[in-house]
Amino acid sequence: MPLVRIDVNQGRSPEQLRAISQSIHDAILAEYGIPERDYFHVLTEHPAGQIVAQDAGLGFERTPDLVMIQIFTQAGRGQEAKQSLFAAIAEMLAAVGVAGEDVFIGYVENAAGDWSFGFGRAQYVTGELGVPGAKPRT
């Protein structure tokens, strides 16, 4: 159950914003096999100059069409799975007009007990939700 924060500069249409969010969700669905309704995105638009993302010395320039993505999810997936997800996100975003140099992803892992889906309970801990990838209790 990833929580995805998406930050972009102002200027895109509501349809473009929906397409960006849906493209990221589709990539996560395809790569991680999560349930379709595990769709938790926060999309924030910023005035010009409020997002700074240089190239970290890689030798390319970003445009104002930057899409900065933070994925918060439970630990346990290997580096290969993460790399595959990053590539799928870039590919899906390219299909809706976001260039590869404008895709920035930060990936943050945590534990099952770090989530509450409502009512002030940690549903993975209480057993109301099954921990993704965990073996069923016998």
Side-chain angles (χ1 to χ4, degrees), residues 3-98:
L3 167 62
V4 180
R5 296 191 57 90
I6 305 163
D7 292 277
V8 298
N9 288 310
Q10 290 176 338
R12 288 184 168 94
S13 71
E15 294 78 21
Q16 290 170 315
L17 295 172
R18 275 193 296 280
I20 288 169
S21 175
Q22 187 65 57
S23 295
I24 294 167
H25 185 61
D26 289 346
I28 295 170
L29 286 172
E31 294 301 315
Y32 283 3
I34 65 169
E36 190 168 337
R37 289 184 53 88
D38 277 4
Y39 194 161
F40 303 95
H41 288 197
V42 177
L43 198 147
T44 306
E45 292 182 278
H46 299 272
Q50 287 191 354
I51 299 176
V52 178
Q54 296 182 345
D55 68 354
L58 295 170
F60 60 86
E61 294 296 321
R62 298 189 198 278
T63 75
D65 291 334
L66 170 71
V67 177
M68 189 169 279
I69 304 159
Q70 297 175 358
I71 300 170
F72 300 87
T73 191
Q74 289 187 42
R77 294 181 177 95
Q79 194 57 52
E80 186 175 312
K82 294 173 197 175
Q83 292 291 321
S84 183
L85 176 63
F86 298 163
I89 289 172
E91 182 179 328
M92 296 281 200
L93 287 175
V96 296
V98 180

Side-chain angles (χ1 to χ4, degrees), residues 103-116:
V103 178
F104 182 100
I105 303 170
Y107 194 94
V108 181
E109 295 181 321
N110 54 39
D114 296 328
W115 297 93
S116 172

